[in-house]
Amino acid sequence: MPACLAVDWGTTHRRLFQIDAAGGLVARDSDNRGILAVGDFTTEIAALVARAGGAPLLLAGMIGSNRGWVEAPYVPAPAGIDALAAAIVEPLPGVFIVPGVRFDDPAHPDIMRGEEVQCFGARALGLIGDGLACFPGTHSKWIEIEDGGIARFRTIMTGDILAALKARSILSDLLDHEPGIDAAFVDGVDHALDTPDLTADLFTVRARVVTGALAAADAASHISGLLIGTDVRIGLGRLRADVVPVIGTPALTARFALALNRAGRETIVVDGESAFMAGAAALATRLPGTTA
Amino acid sequence: MPACLAVDWGTTHRRLFQIDAAGGLVARDSDNRGILAVGDFTTEIAALVARAGGAPLLLAGMIGSNRGWVEAPYVPAPAGIDALAAAIVEPLPGVFIVPGVRFDDPAHPDIMRGEEVQCFGARALGLIGDGLACFPGTHSKWIEIEDGGIARFRTIMTGDILAALKARSILSDLLDHEPGIDAAFVDGVDHALDTPDLTADLFTVRARVVTGALAAADAASHISGLLIGTDVRIGLGRLRADVVPVIGTPALTARFALALNRAGRETIVVDGESAFMAGAAALATRLPGTTA
């Protein structure tokens, strides 16, 4: 494979991985130059090209959306890594944009940008196989992998809703506390796994605090548990999945793994950055003009 | 009854009703001097006392909470209007604060401030009887009335969550459109009445817009339908209620009444301000030192 500079470029953040020809990490960097923070993509891309030093620049995530730099149209699911690689867009010589994946389900159409790289990376590392996998985040993804490809998936707005409640709602004061992984969290998870009444149960948290039944310091943990328990309830759906890989940041995978355990599932936790890097390396061997 | 100045004093807004000795409306006013906007309650209360012109000043809503002026402790449910009146607090001569109601259910403890006045008012007007009643709002209340009193209730954070999503989430652009009461709204209601997966279905709206399956202009209506359908699904629960009164502002009661119709219920729509006024008048006859 060629050495490359791979960028996981999201809405609010950006993570850079300088990868050598053996797939090893040379340097890692992250900043808050998400697509919404960047006014002039031309300058930003030129800086990254310079930083890549002649190696291919591989961009994934929201940078390829209609709000990013150049749109890389979604590949329809089911999609394997070869279909994804074949749809990579090259707006400038040596600069490549990974497309997202869309799922044209009549009941629940869905889209992703970025998680597909982590998914194929975790697979390339041999850490996940066919079956259900969980990618917790601002917009959690539950991906069903079949024959090594992304067959079906569902997005749940867990992190986004938590941030919105924290920014502006009756719960915002309570959410100033840092949520823990504690008894209050587990109580929330257990309740939400069994009870599909999140928009009511969230207010119950406030009522419990006001009436003295719950310490204010425990409310954030409990709210996090309610949201993550709901995520796991919906994500598992009626699927049979005894072991569920969880791919993401350590702070989130720990919470989701515990929630999955409470739902009676075993978990395999995979570091999201390692998965992204492996996915980028796997895609780099498939770039136009590259010999694997 | 004595003439009085009744104030429905909420978190962000305040509504004033000057009521004559026959219970009729002399003047009505509203402003954005909610409790969070008021720095100095002493001055504010003095202005209202002057405005009441010697008549009793009756304050209800969040003004009696621990974030308001003087706390009026919650009355435990089941609570009738006499129990509510008996717990009215009089911090200054002629100035009365109506307490809220708390429901000490082990599974779903809950609290209200303000809706209890509307509830007893709608009853005093003969518009609602025993049974389930819906009070849509920032925090919708579903109250079960037994023997004329508030027996049980549940709060659902529908309006608060919608405002939070509009203020700060991936859906905020879509929520810039004004939600209509149209086919997209009904689709959302119908889906949410049957499917308890709100945090996933909200993202589906965005996926539909991005993939062209839903017009961006219809998204706000659909999101409103999903949230209100969820509210009605939870609010009805397993209760048998063929006819459900809906008490609130015209914009909200129209939406909730339609959602209840889609759930197979008949509705009686009651104007929330009229209900509050009637409730305030009924409480005014029960103030200390007043002869009914």
Side-chain angles (χ1 to χ4, degrees):
Chain A
M1 64 164 286
C4 71
L5 178 62
V7 183
D8 188 1
W9 204 332
T11 307
T12 56
H13 288 83
R14 187 172 70 168
R15 286 178 293 182
L16 289 76
F17 304 86
Q18 193 125 25
I19 305 171
D20 66 23
L25 181 68
V26 178
R28 179 195 312 225
D29 203 358
S30 69
D31 58 36
N32 58 2
R33 309 283 298 152
I35 60 162
L36 295 186
V38 172
D40 175 10
F41 282 112
T42 311
T43 309
E44 206 69 38
I45 297 292
L48 288 171
V49 166
R51 190 159 170 171
L57 174 62
L58 189 67
L59 309 174
M62 292 299 283
I63 187 68
S65 74
N66 60 3
R67 294 164 81 174
W69 172 44
V70 170
E71 191 168 356
Y74 294 100
V75 173
I81 190 170
D82 290 322
L84 194 73
I88 284 177
V89 170
E90 189 179 4
L92 291 175
V95 180
F96 303 92
I97 304 181
V98 181
V101 179
R102 74 170 199 266
F103 175 39
D104 295 327
D105 184 61
H108 303 121
D110 217 322
I111 49 177
M112 71 168 70
R113 283 206 186 263
E115 294 86 355
E116 68 286 349
V117 178
Q118 292 185 325
C119 182
F120 291 124
R123 219 186 129 73
L125 291 170
L127 296 172
I128 71 174
D130 279 5
L132 184 66
C134 170
F135 297 74
T138 302
H139 301 139
S140 299
K141 309 282 176 189
W142 293 78
I143 304 180
E144 286 178 74
I145 304 162
E146 282 178 13
D147 301 324
I150 295 171
R152 285 171 292 280
F153 60 97
R154 191 90 204 264
T155 303
I156 307 177
M157 282 183 58
T158 298
D160 205 357
I161 291 173
L162 184 65
L165 291 172
K166 180 172 178 167
R168 187 212 172 285
S169 81
I170 191 80
L171 303 176
S172 55
D173 288 357
L174 296 173
L175 288 169
D176 274 347
H177 298 265
E178 197 59 37
I181 304 188
D182 49 22
F185 173 77
V186 171
D187 281 350
V189 167
D190 287 351
H191 184 83
L193 286 172
D194 285 337
T195 316
D197 297 344
L198 180 69
T199 53
D201 291 328
L202 286 171
F203 190 84
T204 303
V205 179
R206 176 167 153 75
R208 277 190 211 277
V209 171
V210 169
T211 58
L214 180 72
D218 286 334
S221 299
H222 193 69
I223 290 168
S224 167
L226 287 173
L227 276 159
I228 291 175
T230 298
D231 194 313
V232 168
R233 176 183 61 75
I234 298 173
L236 289 174
R238 295 199 189 86
L239 292 173
R240 194 196 151 137
D242 298 329
V243 184
V244 180
V246 185
I247 299 98
T249 61
L252 279 179
T253 53
R255 294 176 172 274
F256 274 72
L258 179 51
L260 277 158
N261 295 158
R262 301 296 297 181
R265 267 62 171 195
E266 291 181 44
T267 55
I268 298 165
V269 170
V270 179
D271 175 64
E273 294 200 356
S274 304
F276 180 83
M277 223 175 62
L283 286 167
T285 66
R286 290 168 170 85
L287 293 176
T290 304
T291 310
Chain B
M1 65 164 287
C4 72
L5 177 62
V7 183
D8 187 2
W9 205 332
T11 308
T12 56
H13 288 81
R14 187 172 71 167
R15 286 177 295 181
L16 289 77
F17 304 86
Q18 194 126 24
I19 304 172
D20 65 24
L25 182 68
V26 177
R28 177 195 312 225
D29 203 358
S30 70
D31 57 35
N32 58 3
R33 308 283 298 152
I35 60 162
L36 295 187
V38 172
D40 176 10
F41 282 111
T42 311
T43 309
E44 206 69 39
I45 298 290
L48 288 171
V49 166
R51 192 159 170 171
L57 174 62
L58 189 67
L59 309 174
M62 293 298 283
I63 187 67
S65 74
N66 58 4
R67 294 163 82 176
W69 172 44
V70 171
E71 190 167 358
Y74 295 99
V75 173
I81 189 168
D82 290 323
L84 194 73
I88 283 176
V89 171
E90 188 178 7
L92 292 176
V95 180
F96 303 93
I97 304 181
V98 181
V101 179
R102 73 167 199 267
F103 176 39
D104 295 326
D105 184 62
H108 303 122
D110 217 323
I111 48 176
M112 68 167 73
R113 281 205 186 263
E115 294 86 357
E116 68 286 349
V117 179
Q118 292 185 326
C119 182
F120 291 124
R123 220 187 129 74
L125 292 171
L127 296 172
I128 72 174
D130 279 6
L132 185 66
C134 170
F135 297 75
T138 302
H139 301 138
S140 299
K141 308 282 176 189
W142 292 78
I143 304 180
E144 285 178 75
I145 304 162
E146 282 178 12
D147 302 324
I150 294 172
R152 286 173 290 280
F153 60 96
R154 189 92 205 261
T155 302
I156 308 178
M157 282 184 58
T158 298
D160 205 357
I161 291 174
L162 184 66
L165 292 173
K166 180 173 177 167
R168 187 210 173 288
S169 80
I170 190 82
L171 302 176
S172 54
D173 288 357
L174 296 174
L175 289 168
D176 274 346
H177 298 265
E178 197 57 38
I181 304 187
D182 48 22
F185 173 76
V186 172
D187 281 352
V189 167
D190 287 351
H191 184 82
L193 287 173
D194 285 339
T195 316
D197 297 345
L198 181 70
T199 55
D201 291 328
L202 286 171
F203 190 83
T204 304
V205 178
R206 176 168 151 77
R208 277 190 211 277
V209 171
V210 169
T211 59
L214 180 72
D218 287 334
S221 299
H222 193 70
I223 291 167
S224 167
L226 288 172
L227 277 158
I228 291 176
T230 298
D231 194 313
V232 168
R233 175 183 62 75
I234 299 171
L236 289 174
R238 295 198 192 87
L239 293 174
R240 195 197 153 137
D242 298 328
V243 182
V244 180
V246 185
I247 299 98
T249 62
L252 278 179
T253 52
R255 293 175 174 276
F256 275 72
L258 179 51
L260 278 158
N261 295 157
R262 301 297 296 182
R265 266 63 171 197
E266 290 180 46
T267 54
I268 297 165
V269 170
V270 178
D271 174 63
E273 295 199 355
S274 304
F276 179 83
M277 221 174 65
L283 286 168
T285 66
R286 291 167 169 87
L287 293 177
T290 305
T291 311

